[in-house]
Amino acid sequence: MKLIDVALAIAALTMTLMWVGIREEDEQDVAVLAREMDNHASKLWQKVHDRQFNILAMAANKTNSTYISATYNTIGTIVIAPVPIATVQINSSQTWVDPVFTVAGTKTVIAGVTLQLLWTSPATLNVSQTFAGAGGIQLGSSTGAATELSLENNATLEFASTSAITVVNAKITVAAGSNVIFQSTTAATTITSATFTLANTSTLTMNAVASATALIVVGGTTKCSQGGASITAVAASGSTTAGNKWSSNVQLITGATRRRLATSFATSSKQTWCGDDNSLGSTTVADTNGLIIDTSCAAAKAGTLSIAAGGYLVFKSVSQSSTMATAKAFTMTDTSTVEVLTSSAADYMVKLLEYPMSGTSCFAISKPMIDACATGYTCSIYDHTAGSTCHIVFKSVKDVVPTGSNTGLYGLLALLVIPFIAILLFVLYKMHAKPVVYQEAIPDPMYAYVDPAMYEDTAYPPMNTPVY
């Protein structure tokens, strides 16, 4: 029995060892197979990546090349790093996430297509990029973290689409020598919750038809210098201010001829403030251009406000409840125009702008212009001095009309017309009457006096005899 037990024990041990060996071989095979699958997957992904890169590289070597990828079109959201392409045409709506642009160039978006640019972490743009075409372009997203982009190395970021341009929840820092340009007066440009921080020598050019809400511009120069261009402050729903802050040198500087009234800046540029704050910057309005202050919004604030010769300072929606704008310094010329747009039919006087006196007097309003003064009212714009403080004031006064019925007066005037007409006819008759013809006068005979003494010895004619 002992021998058999030993044999059985040896057999059991042998089988156990064989089973363990088989398990180890299987596990090794599985591990090898897993490694091979990983290698194949990596090679497959590398091939896909290389294929995509080759498509981009081939496109980069073609003029007006077409950037099309079935994978990109299907996914819709693309992580692109880098983008070694100068000229690209976007034929399908896409979102580029964290793109790295290595060469300067133009990206053209076709009509009906939208290209969205997103950066999930702060990024730098070192080469100039232009986004153009008839499609839509969006920088940033209304959800998630803000898109942060720094322009350096004299790079320019230009949006020239003729369709909608949207900048939302974005922070753009512009280094010295770099610039941001919105260059389309046919596109509806919307800027919301965006901050542009400019170096002193950098420029934000707004040659677009733009609406701005919660836009902050710090430093540098903000320029609106193309006919038909405008920057309009739009208050958020339920708010009386757009929340825009212009701590910048704002310039409205086209040189075209402006037609009458604030609704016709078609050939020049304008900026509309709705509670905007540029108290830390300056605003210059050049010839033919206009700054429009919406007085139905919260009070606008200016730092140095200069209305050059031929420039327009326009106050919109003026009524008895208008808010008063303020300026830390203000200048205008004899040929600067102050214009009021109003339709309020009421007796009132309202201060539109307050600024500190410079010198010994306030600036006289030499060229006032009033649009739509209510019928039956007389309106005026004038300067007002209160100590060392100056105001631009608008006044609306109801015309004085006699009370009671005028029927009796009109009847009396009608009666006076009758004798007046009679006298007039008589005078005309006398002026045109025939002259009276008189007969020729026959002189009376002359009588000579005869002294009787002369005829004492002679015969003489009887006395009072006519002498001929």
Side-chain angles (χ1 to χ4, degrees):
M1 292 294 295
K2 291 182 179 179
L3 184 59
I4 293 175
D5 292 337
V6 171
L8 290 174
I10 293 173
L13 178 61
T14 302
M15 293 180 65
T16 300
L17 293 174
M18 291 177 63
W19 181 80
V20 170
I22 292 172
R23 286 289 305 275
E24 289 178 352
E25 290 179 0
D26 289 342
E27 289 178 357
Q28 290 175 357
D29 290 341
V30 170
V32 171
L33 181 60
R35 286 195 298 271
E36 290 179 354
M37 290 179 67
D38 287 340
N39 290 334
H40 283 298
S42 298
K43 290 178 180 179
L44 181 61
W45 171 248
Q46 186 63 43
K47 287 181 179 180
V48 172
H49 182 272
D50 291 343
R51 177 62 176 169
Q52 292 173 348
F53 185 86
N54 289 336
I55 291 174
L56 300 179
M58 287 187 295
N61 295 324
K62 296 180 181 180
T63 303
N64 296 326
S65 58
T66 301
Y67 175 40
I68 303 175
S69 169
T71 302
Y72 288 175
N73 290 338
T74 302
I75 295 175
T77 299
I78 314 161
V79 178
I80 300 179
V83 183
I85 306 173
T87 303
V88 174
Q89 179 172 303
I90 313 301
N91 286 349
S92 61
S93 293
Q94 300 174 3
T95 299
W96 289 7
V97 179
D98 296 328
V100 178
F101 297 99
T102 58
V103 291
T106 299
K107 312 301 180 279
T108 302
V109 184
I110 67 171
V113 167
T114 299
L115 173 65
Q116 183 179 18
L117 303 172
L118 290 177
W119 280 271
T120 58
S121 59
T124 301
L125 180 64
N126 291 311
V127 291
S128 296
Q129 296 296 313
T130 298
F131 296 89
I137 298 172
Q138 178 172 329
L139 173 63
S141 173
S142 58
T143 60
T147 285
E148 298 186 34
L149 184 64
S150 296
L151 275 63
E152 299 179 359
N153 195 34
N154 297 323
T156 295
L157 178 62
E158 180 174 352
F159 298 94
S161 170
T162 57
S163 184
I165 299 174
T166 303
V167 178
V168 57
N169 196 21
K171 297 179 180 179
I172 311 299
T173 301
V174 186
S178 294
N179 302 286
V180 177
I181 302 174
F182 292 88
Q183 188 69 41
S184 177
T185 56
T186 60
T189 302
T190 304
I191 304 176
T192 306
S193 299
T195 300
F196 292 86
T197 303
L198 310 174
N200 290 336
T201 57
S202 299
T203 301
L204 169 62
T205 301
M206 300 291 291
N207 289 341
V209 181
S211 61
T213 304
L215 169 61
I216 299 174
V217 182
V218 180
T221 299
T222 301
K223 188 181 298 183
C224 191
S225 56
Q226 180 171 309
S230 63
I231 309 171
T232 302
V234 178
S237 178
S239 176
T240 59
T241 176
N244 299 324
K245 295 184 178 181
W246 305 88
S247 302
S248 178
N249 175 21
V250 179
Q251 298 181 355
L252 308 175
I253 53 172
T254 60
T257 301
R258 175 192 183 256
R259 299 178 66 87
R260 186 177 179 275
L261 300 179
T263 55
S264 54
F265 282 96
T267 57
S268 52
S269 61
K270 64 181 179 181
Q271 183 176 6
T272 301
W273 286 1
C274 177
D276 289 30
D277 185 349
N278 192 18
S279 57
L280 299 180
S282 63
T283 304
T284 302
V285 183
D287 183 24
T288 76
N289 300 277
L291 173 63
I292 304 173
I293 299 177
D294 191 338
T295 65
S296 66
C297 299
K301 300 176 182 178
T304 299
L305 176 57
S306 301
I307 313 299
Y312 290 78
L313 175 60
V314 183
F315 296 95
K316 176 184 177 183
S317 303
V318 173
S319 68
Q320 56 266 50
S321 59
S322 288
T323 57
M324 181 183 69
T326 58
K328 292 181 178 179
F330 177 73
T331 59
M332 63 184 299
T333 72
D334 291 340
T335 60
S336 304
T337 298
V338 177
E339 185 173 343
V340 166
L341 306 181
T342 181
S343 59
S344 180
D347 274 308
Y348 65 95
M349 183 274 290
V350 62
K351 297 176 181 177
L352 301 176
L353 177 67
E354 179 179 279
Y355 61 94
M357 182 184 296
S358 177
T360 58
S361 62
C362 300
F363 288 95
I365 312 299
S366 301
K367 292 187 64 177
M369 185 180 291
I370 300 171
D371 183 22
C373 182
T375 302
Y377 287 81
T378 299
C379 299
S380 59
I381 309 170
Y382 57 93
D383 61 284
H384 174 264
T385 305
S388 60
T389 301
C390 300
H391 297 98
I392 292 178
V393 180
F394 175 75
K395 189 174 183 179
S396 173
V397 179
K398 187 175 180 62
D399 296 336
V400 177
V401 179
T403 59
S405 174
N406 293 323
T407 304
L409 178 61
Y410 294 150
L412 180 60
L413 291 175
L415 292 175
L416 291 176
V417 170
I418 297 175
F420 175 77
I421 293 176
I423 295 173
L424 179 62
L425 291 175
F426 177 76
V427 172
L428 293 175
Y429 171 77
K430 297 298 291 181
M431 292 175 61
H432 294 84
K434 294 182 178 180
V436 179
V437 179
Y438 298 96
Q439 295 182 349
E440 184 177 355
I442 301 176
D444 292 334
M446 298 179 62
Y447 296 92
Y449 174 75
V450 180
D451 187 356
M454 296 176 59
Y455 299 95
E456 291 181 351
D457 298 327
T458 60
Y460 52 85
M463 293 185 65
N464 300 326
T465 300
V467 178
Y468 295 100

